[in-house]
Amino acid sequence: MPHSALDAPISPLRQRLIDDMTLRRFSQETQCIYLRDVGRLATFLGRPPDTATADDLRRFQVWQQDDGVPVPTMNSIVSALRFFFTHTVDRPDLARKLVRLAHPRKLPVVLSRDEVARLLNATTCLKHQAALSVAYGAGLRVAEVATLKVTDIDSERMLIQVERGKGGRYHNAMLSADLLTLLRQWWIAGRRQGVMHRDGWLFPGQHPMKPISTRQLHRIVVEAAQAADIAKRVGPHTLRHSFATHLLEDGVDIRVIQVLLGHAKLDNTALYAKIATRTVRAVTSPLDRLGLFKPGEISPDG
């Protein structure tokens, strides 16, 4: 993705914000978003954002709402500004003035197991198949897949070490036997192609010294879904959603799934209970337990 927000001239305040985010291991993508959103406040004020008052913040949010800014975008801006006022300029009193709006969360798109198999088989090369298989088989975010290194694969403990998950958190993801087999096949092929190195990226980009981009991974998923004749709107995160939903349908405890996904809050994992259709179908309705209605016993006259 373009990084123009990071490439702009650096003021002392901007550099302090970048340093605060880097210290907390924010991804470059997150840093770009936060810099952009703090910049929106500066543009609205016409002066540096650290001079904002509580009334300025109220007017800024009212203006966004009147201007038709989507609620998810407004809430994303609130996250950036709360970080800025809490950590960069040490004004937590202003951070508390920012209002996060309630927004009904849409249920994510989930693929069936057959659709996942068709999608993975529709990839055009071993590297792409391995990358998407990691997204589904380990439930990783697209940025986590992109930045995996060869040394992150722990075949002895059958774990994938995710060094920089969301918010810079570290966690271990599962490594299945079949996924390890596929990754070993990719390792052999990558070494033969001269793009794989023991201390290098697991999925190198067009330049072997750089990782594959999240944008490219998104394109790979979309093209594979089209080739597999899957009509649903899918992206790399669809595979992560499918991973969690399929585990829940298989009876895996939701708290275990929370750990595997690297979620900080159980509420985020609980969303998948709403879309686990096999789990719903496995529940016996209390009406059925009454035994009132038997097949063939209902009069055709009603």
Side-chain angles (χ1 to χ4, degrees):
M1 65 172 288
H3 299 298
S4 57
L6 290 178
D7 298 333
I10 304 295
S11 68
L13 181 62
R14 183 188 189 86
Q15 185 61 56
R16 197 156 70 241
L17 174 56
I18 292 173
D19 291 343
D20 288 336
M21 293 188 290
T22 303
L23 181 64
R24 290 162 179 81
R25 295 183 177 274
F26 283 17
S27 69
Q28 192 172 45
E29 183 176 5
T30 299
Q31 291 191 34
C32 286
I33 292 172
Y34 275 34
L35 287 169
R36 179 198 65 198
D37 290 345
V38 173
R40 286 176 171 176
L41 175 62
T43 300
F44 172 80
L45 295 175
R47 62 181 194 273
D50 60 337
T51 64
T53 65
D55 186 62
D56 287 332
L57 296 183
R58 184 188 64 80
R59 290 190 301 106
F60 177 59
Q61 289 204 280
V62 170
W63 170 77
Q64 288 182 98
Q65 196 167 40
D66 291 344
D67 204 43
V69 176
V71 171
T73 302
M74 288 185 65
N75 287 340
S76 175
I77 294 171
V78 167
S79 297
L81 293 179
R82 282 181 176 175
F83 180 88
F84 173 73
F85 286 115
T86 300
H87 299 286
T88 303
V89 298
D90 195 21
R91 289 293 307 276
D93 56 309
L94 289 181
R96 290 192 292 269
K97 298 295 183 181
L98 293 159
V99 178
R100 186 179 292 275
L101 302 179
H103 178 65
R105 187 173 180 182
K106 291 184 179 180
L107 293 180
V109 173
V110 171
L111 301 178
S112 69
R113 294 162 201 261
D114 175 68
E115 287 172 327
V116 172
R118 283 159 45 202
L119 186 146
L120 294 179
N121 285 328
T123 51
T124 57
C125 67
L126 186 58
K127 171 184 169 182
H128 294 172
Q129 186 179 52
L132 300 192
S133 295
V134 168
Y136 173 69
L140 298 192
R141 301 176 179 89
V142 61
E144 294 171 347
V145 174
T147 55
L148 282 176
K149 293 187 176 180
V150 173
T151 52
D152 292 331
I153 306 302
D154 188 340
S155 59
E156 291 188 5
R157 296 193 299 159
M158 295 302 288
L159 296 172
I160 299 176
Q161 299 169 349
V162 183
E163 292 192 1
R164 289 195 180 186
K166 190 172 183 179
R169 292 186 295 270
Y170 289 65
H171 75 275
N172 289 324
M174 64 185 297
L175 174 63
S176 70
D178 283 359
L179 181 56
L180 178 59
T181 298
L182 178 60
L183 290 177
R184 282 174 169 163
Q185 292 173 359
W186 162 234
W187 166 256
I188 293 172
R191 294 282 285 181
R192 190 181 303 123
Q193 297 168 19
V195 298
M196 294 287 284
H197 307 281
R198 292 194 178 276
D199 296 322
W201 303 106
L202 184 60
F203 303 113
Q206 294 181 345
H207 190 290
M209 299 304 293
K210 293 184 179 180
I212 191 171
S213 68
T214 57
R215 179 174 296 179
Q216 186 179 2
L217 284 172
H218 187 276
R219 179 179 55 79
I220 291 168
V221 173
V222 170
E223 291 179 353
Q226 291 173 345
D229 198 24
I230 296 172
K232 297 174 181 176
R233 186 175 181 178
V234 302
H237 222 66
T238 307
L239 295 171
R240 175 175 163 87
H241 293 320
S242 302
F243 163 85
T245 304
H246 295 165
L247 284 182
L248 193 60
E249 290 179 341
D250 287 340
V252 177
D253 188 277
I254 196 167
R255 290 176 178 80
V256 175
I257 298 174
Q258 177 190 4
V259 173
L260 293 175
L261 291 173
H263 279 166
K265 298 179 180 178
L266 184 60
D267 288 350
N268 294 331
T269 317
L271 173 70
Y272 297 107
K274 298 181 180 180
I275 50 179
T277 55
R278 183 184 295 186
T279 303
V280 174
R281 293 196 303 268
V283 177
T284 301
S285 168
L287 178 65
D288 291 355
R289 295 192 182 279
L290 296 179
L292 297 178
F293 311 109
K294 301 296 183 182
E297 292 185 2
I298 300 177
S299 170
D301 298 330

